[in-house]
Amino acid sequence: GLACAPGAPPFDAADPTSTDVILGLRPFVDDLRRPGALHAAVVLPSVAHGVLRSVDASQAEAMAGNVRVIQVKANGGSILHAGEVLAAVVADTRAQARAAAAAVRCEVEATPPTPPSPLARAVRREGNTQDAFLRAPHRAGIQITFAAADAVPLEPESALVVPEAAGLLVYSSGHDARGLAEALAAELDAPVRVVLLPSGGSYGARTVAVAESVAAKLALTTGSPVSLALEHEEGTRMRVRRAACVVTA
C-alpha cells in the first residue's frame, strides 16, 4: 500500500498491480537498491537495565568503508530493555557496517531491574471461598512461566529510507502504511511517504515497525538513502511481541 502523512506530497504512481505480486515481480525491501545508499547496523546494549556512560567509536570509524557512527542514546541515559539502540553505524556495504558496529565499545553501568508487577488479576468467587480453602483436605497451586516469543518472518526486517526535497520516502515491510507515515512524521517532524512491500509472511511481527524509525533518523542525519536490515535476534530484542511472563494460580 501507499500512504502519506499530512503535509507530504501525494504519490503520482499507482500501487503495484496484482499481476506483479502473483508473478513475483514486486521486490522485497531488502532487494531494493538506490545510488549512493548507505548500509546501516545497530549497536544494542549488553544488559537489559542500566545507564549508558560512554560510547567509543574510534576503532569502528578507523575501519574500511567510510564508516560513520551516530550515537543515538545520550551518555547518562537510562537503558530499560535489551533492545534499545545505543548507536547506529552507516558504511558503504552491509558487511562493513555490521563489522564496524561490532567494534563500537559502549560502557554501560548495570543497574537492578525494576521489580515486576502484576499485569492482570482474575478472581472468581462463589460462596465463602475462604472457609472452603480452610476445610479442604488438599490445596494446590500452580505457577507457569512463559518465555518471550516472537514470529519468524521469511524475509529480513528491512527498511530503505530515501531523502526527498519535501521529506522522506520510506520503503517498509510493515502492515500499516498510513499509521507508519503519521508516526514517523510526528517523531521526526518531517513529511513522510510510505510504500509497503511484501513482508514474506511475518505472522503479525511487522505490526510494530522498528527498522524504519532507525533508518529514517540516519537518512535525515546523513542526507543519503539508508538501508537497514535487522538480524532476527535484533528485531526480537527491539520489539518483543509476547514478553516473558509468569502466571500464578
Side-chain angles (χ1 to χ4, degrees), residues 49-246:
H49 202 277
V51 177
L52 178 63
R53 293 307 182 192
S54 66
V55 174
D56 182 359
S58 57
Q59 181 179 347
E61 292 185 329
M63 299 173 70
N66 296 311
V67 173
R68 181 177 175 184
V69 179
I70 294 93
Q71 186 168 339
V72 176
K73 181 172 285 294
N75 293 342
S78 297
I79 298 169
L80 301 179
H81 63 91
E84 291 200 55
V85 179
L86 305 184
V89 175
V90 291
D92 292 338
T93 69
R94 181 178 301 170
Q96 290 169 334
R98 297 199 70 84
V104 175
R105 297 290 175 257
C106 297
E107 181 186 355
V108 176
E109 178 186 344
T111 57
T114 303
S117 58
L119 298 177
R121 295 180 185 274
V123 179
R124 177 180 177 180
R125 292 188 176 94
E126 294 182 6
N128 191 328
T129 56
Q130 188 63 32
D131 287 348
F133 275 118
L134 292 174
R135 295 195 307 268
H138 304 286
R139 282 170 287 182
I142 187 173
Q143 186 176 85
I144 305 173
T145 300
F146 293 90
D150 198 10
V152 185
L154 303 180
E155 289 292 320
E157 184 168 354
S158 306
L160 172 65
V161 181
V162 181
E164 298 184 302
L168 296 174
L169 176 60
V170 179
Y171 293 90
S172 166
S173 57
H175 299 319
D176 181 4
R178 181 167 297 280
L180 177 59
E182 293 176 353
L184 287 177
E187 179 183 3
L188 305 171
D189 192 25
V192 175
R193 302 194 298 166
V194 172
V195 179
L196 292 189
L197 295 181
S199 63
S202 71
Y203 314 105
R206 303 288 166 77
T207 54
V208 179
V210 292
E212 291 84 349
S213 176
V214 176
K217 292 174 183 176
L218 295 175
L220 282 178
T221 300
T222 63
S224 300
V226 173
S227 173
L228 172 61
L230 299 175
E231 296 289 337
H232 178 65
E233 179 184 349
E234 293 170 336
T236 298
R237 289 172 61 181
M238 291 170 70
R239 51 105 191 88
V240 175
R241 296 192 66 244
R242 296 187 182 94
C245 65
V246 176

